[in-house]
Amino acid sequence: ALRAAVLHSVVHIEANAINLALDAVHRFDELPSEYYRDWCDVAREEARHFVMLRSRLRDLDYEYGDFDAHDGLWSMAQSTATDLTARMALVPRFLEARGIDVAPSMIERFAHHGDGETAALLQVILEDEIGHVAIGSRWFQFACDQQGLCATEVFHALLKRHRLSLNPPINVDARLLAGFDLSEMTLGAE
């Protein structure tokens, strides 16, 4: 049941990620067509993740909805609904990036407990999520450039304003692949 509860929380995150990607398409107007293609691609991949993980949850004799779930991702989407820069910084680059930070230990735990099938699914998702965070990084940089702002300074300021901090573990290699620089991985809210 504990393994299923952990898996359920990841299924729920993927369900929210579908909505978040589609909300990014709907919410922000007059951006380059590549922006909309990127987030539609992300939504499609998140839907694939949801289906894979929900199927695995069913293999364990549970359904999506059998456990309580949080709304942290969607709450952040609501608080950044009118600001593309904040949305890209705080949803993909903060909240979703936490997924790439904790995924290696989750994969290891599932494998250690004899659930190689779930571990393999989480590995596929980790690789895709690095790309999703990279898309957030690209559009965050775009939004900062459009305003003549330093992306690193804006990222730090947004973390501070929202009282967010980066706590270990931090998957430095994955974050570098996803478009972070080292200074963005060291500062949080004070």
Side-chain angles (χ1 to χ4, degrees):
L2 179 58
R3 185 168 25 126
V6 170
L7 184 57
H8 184 276
S9 69
V10 180
V11 174
H12 182 67
I13 289 167
E14 296 299 330
N16 274 280
I18 298 164
N19 292 330
L20 288 166
L22 293 174
D23 185 72
V25 170
H26 165 75
R27 177 102 22 218
F28 301 104
D29 296 331
E30 300 179 17
L31 291 164
S33 60
E34 294 85 4
Y35 170 88
Y36 302 104
R37 275 196 298 274
D38 280 349
W39 290 110
C40 285
D41 288 346
V42 169
R44 185 175 51 254
E45 286 186 355
E46 300 291 17
R48 183 174 53 86
H49 298 166
F50 175 82
V51 169
M52 291 180 346
L53 292 174
R54 185 186 60 190
S55 176
R56 183 66 187 133
L57 189 62
R58 287 176 173 169
D59 291 344
L60 300 174
D61 294 324
Y62 291 91
E63 287 289 338
Y64 177 53
D66 283 350
F67 298 91
D68 290 336
H70 66 82
D71 69 346
L73 281 169
W74 195 251
S75 293
M76 184 63 76
Q78 290 174 311
S79 72
T80 60
T82 62
D83 184 347
L84 175 67
T85 307
R87 171 66 64 90
M88 294 297 114
L90 299 178
V91 175
R93 298 191 86 240
F94 182 77
L95 292 176
E96 292 189 61
R98 289 307 295 157
I100 65 176
D101 292 336
V102 301
S105 63
M106 287 180 61
I107 292 165
E108 185 178 307
R109 280 195 304 270
F110 275 98
H112 177 76
H113 290 288
D115 189 350
E117 188 173 342
T118 301
L121 292 174
L122 292 173
Q123 183 63 47
V124 168
I125 291 168
L126 170 60
E127 292 165 16
D128 288 346
E129 292 299 332
I130 292 169
H132 300 172
V133 175
I135 288 168
S137 292
R138 179 170 51 250
W139 293 109
F140 173 66
Q141 184 67 54
F142 172 87
C144 288
D145 290 348
Q146 293 294 106
Q147 301 168 76
L149 301 172
C150 172
T152 300
E153 290 175 7
V154 171
F155 186 68
H156 291 164
L158 286 166
L159 290 180
K160 189 172 185 175
R161 183 179 319 143
H162 289 267
R163 293 188 162 96
L164 300 170
S165 60
L166 297 175
N167 299 310
I170 296 176
N171 189 338
V172 173
D173 293 337
R175 281 181 178 256
L176 289 171
L177 288 171
F180 282 79
D181 67 42
L182 287 174
S183 70
E184 291 177 307
M185 294 182 244
T186 58
L187 181 71
E190 297 175 1

